[in-house]
Amino acid sequence: MSVRRYRARDMRDAMRQVREHQGPDAVILSSRRGDDGMLEVVVSLDAAPAAGVSSFAQDAVDIGPVDPQLAAMRREICDLRTLLMQQSALSERDQWAARHPLAAQCIERLTQGGFSEKLARSLAGGVQEDGSLDMAWSRLRSRLSASIATSHPTVLEQGGMLALVGSTGVGKTTTLNRLALRQIRRMGPDSVTLVTLDRQRIGAYKQLQAFGQMAGIPVMLLESERDLTALTDRAGEGKLVLIDTQGQAARDAAERRLFAQVRNEVDLETWLVVAATHQSAVLRQVLESFQVCDPAALVLTKVDEAEQLGETLSVLLEQHIGLVFYSDGQRLDEDFHKADTMYLTRLALQEPAHSAPPQQPRQPQEAMLLNPISVDRVPAASQTRNVREDMVLESVLPFGKALHAAY
């Protein structure tokens, strides 16, 4: 084995000497820096690279100093740089929180309630730091509730065809019964016809049949959506045809395109029923997939079962379809309410609800259904107004005009 030593000022000079005298096949056996400060490199031309020994041809570019002290210093500098970068990021957030303490508290409170961090930062951008925490939170709460889209469709008052669409198990059939009960109390049993297109789930038709028998209203099971054209005489002028549909997965909704064949033949309005128990990603997929049904409004069910209602409201804020009703229990009448975004916002933030949904006088529902004609027919204009209509929201800054940027 041919071994040679080279002395140089640094590793670059040593590698130049090795390249000139030994060629690219030389193997670096060791390197150390002497007491005089010169670097001594031992190389061999004949030996094959052993474990832990670098080939000059392979590692000439990335070899770097092999001096133990210098290598340890490099590792220490690299670790120190990483630590400084981490501390810098934390320091920036802490500094922002120190400059905007009210906004930081609001962001933390919103995220704890399930609202997305992006939404929390956007809302906190309008918090005024020169006020009290109660005032800042009141403005933010009002701003949040006012930003949730609501809808006020006229189909319930004027009559027409109304179909409920949505995923399996969200409560479409129960919602249909609740809407029918409201219509019976307003206009009498002659103003409602129940229709179902769900021929897959027998229980859905039986549930409608049981309700129809108690309420004294007709219930029809149709073969296909084209049969709706024969029911146009039952819709309009205060008469309502409520249509139940088969539940379907969100991925199938876009392919099926429900009611696409009869859109031009019948005047049909659709509402999308969604559950508050859906995770945000699932809810976004449902909202996107059922756009092919052209929903005019949303009905939110199972509010009482949602672990974090703020997660659901965050998704509703991202889209334009307005909320018209929500349900928060199993009772047919008492747990079905018109949309009240302030109440839902307080519920999501786990705050005391200053304005709970109005409750109807409690009485056996069978009695209400068996004697629907005895219920007074009250004009729609004289119905009890929604709590939201009596609520004057504070003047708040629009989303685009933030007083300071969130971190």
Side-chain angles (χ1 to χ4, degrees):
M1 181 176 63
S2 176
V3 178
R4 296 194 59 178
R5 296 176 184 270
Y6 293 90
R7 289 171 57 82
R9 296 184 302 274
D10 52 31
M11 182 57 70
R12 178 175 297 180
D13 187 27
M15 288 192 297
R16 180 186 59 78
Q17 294 183 46
V18 172
R19 186 185 301 109
E20 291 177 356
H21 295 90
Q22 302 291 340
D25 297 328
V27 176
I28 300 175
L29 299 179
S30 66
S31 64
R32 71 179 185 87
R33 192 170 294 277
D35 297 337
D36 57 355
M38 297 294 288
L39 183 65
E40 184 179 276
V41 178
V42 179
V43 300
S44 172
L45 183 61
D46 299 332
V53 180
S54 301
S55 169
F56 178 79
Q58 295 173 346
D59 302 322
V61 177
D62 301 323
I63 185 65
V66 188
D67 182 78
Q69 294 182 355
L70 187 57
M73 185 178 298
R74 282 191 170 185
R75 288 194 299 270
E76 185 176 349
I77 292 176
C78 183
D79 295 341
L80 183 61
R81 180 184 300 172
T82 302
L83 180 61
L84 288 175
M85 291 177 64
Q86 294 175 350
Q87 290 182 343
S88 176
L90 292 175
S91 176
E92 182 180 354
R93 178 177 295 218
D94 293 340
Q95 290 176 7
W96 184 91
R99 293 194 303 269
H100 312 290
L102 295 183
Q105 292 183 56
C106 291
I107 289 177
E108 181 179 4
R109 191 170 177 180
L110 284 169
T111 53
Q112 287 178 350
F115 291 93
S116 65
E117 186 173 356
K118 180 180 179 181
L119 173 62
R121 291 181 183 183
S122 177
L123 289 168
V127 172
Q128 295 178 327
E129 295 291 340
D130 56 351
S132 64
L133 178 60
D134 291 341
M135 178 61 69
W137 186 249
S138 176
R139 288 178 176 271
L140 186 146
R141 185 197 305 114
S142 298
R143 185 181 181 191
L144 176 60
S145 65
S147 301
I148 301 174
T150 57
S151 179
H152 305 280
T154 59
V155 63
L156 298 183
E157 287 74 25
Q158 297 179 359
M161 289 189 177
L162 173 61
L164 300 185
V165 298
S167 305
T168 303
V170 295
K172 297 187 298 297
T173 303
T174 302
T175 301
L176 202 76
N177 291 338
R178 285 166 163 164
L179 291 173
L181 178 59
R182 293 177 67 94
Q183 185 73 359
I184 291 171
R185 295 178 62 184
R186 290 181 58 254
M187 305 295 294
D190 295 337
S191 64
V192 184
T193 300
L194 294 183
V195 172
T196 179
L197 296 172
D198 187 357
R199 304 186 64 86
Q200 301 296 323
R201 192 167 62 94
I202 300 177
Y205 179 52
K206 288 185 176 180
Q207 182 179 346
L208 286 179
Q209 270 190 321
F211 179 87
Q213 290 175 359
M214 289 189 296
I217 58 178
V219 179
M220 300 182 180
L221 177 62
L222 301 186
E223 291 289 339
S224 69
E225 58 189 58
R226 283 200 170 276
D227 293 336
L228 292 173
T229 56
L231 301 179
T232 54
D233 59 331
R234 293 175 176 264
E237 297 183 357
K239 294 184 178 181
L240 191 63
V241 176
L242 295 172
I243 307 166
D244 193 15
T245 62
Q246 177 184 344
Q248 53 188 323
R251 61 180 178 273
D252 299 330
E255 299 178 1
R256 186 178 177 187
R257 301 184 65 86
L258 191 63
F259 302 121
Q261 300 178 355
V262 296
R263 282 289 184 182
N264 298 329
E265 301 177 28
V266 297
D267 186 10
L268 177 70
E269 182 170 312
T270 57
W271 290 1
L272 175 59
V273 182
V274 295
T277 52
H278 281 327
Q279 295 180 344
S280 57
V282 176
L283 183 54
R284 288 190 183 94
Q285 184 182 13
V286 169
L287 290 169
E288 180 180 356
S289 300
F290 280 93
Q291 286 295 322
V292 296
C293 298
D294 193 23
L298 292 177
V299 178
L300 184 64
T301 62
K302 304 184 180 182
V303 170
D304 57 315
E305 301 178 24
E307 293 186 5
Q308 284 193 319
L309 186 58
E311 184 176 356
T312 302
L313 297 185
S314 293
V315 179
L316 296 187
L317 280 163
E318 300 172 1
Q319 50 86 53
H320 66 279
I321 307 176
L323 183 66
V324 59
F325 288 103
Y326 72 93
S327 64
D328 54 4
Q330 300 298 321
R331 294 176 299 180
L332 198 61
D333 187 43
E334 296 92 331
D335 297 330
F336 192 58
H337 319 282
K338 288 185 178 179
D340 185 347
T341 58
M342 178 59 76
Y343 175 78
L344 292 175
T345 300
R346 288 186 177 275
L347 192 63
L349 297 172
Q350 300 180 355
E351 296 181 339
H354 294 172
S355 55
Q359 300 292 334
Q360 299 292 338
R362 302 187 64 178
Q363 54 180 308
Q365 292 181 6
E366 291 79 1
M368 291 190 298
L369 294 175
L370 291 173
N371 301 283
I373 302 179
S374 63
V375 180
D376 293 336
R377 300 184 183 182
V378 184
S382 64
Q383 294 292 315
T384 304
R385 292 184 299 172
N386 196 320
V387 177
R388 180 175 171 82
E389 297 175 2
D390 295 330
M391 185 179 302
V392 179
L393 297 178
E394 295 177 342
S395 176
V396 294
L397 294 175
F399 274 79
K401 298 181 179 179
L403 295 181
H404 50 73
Y407 54 81

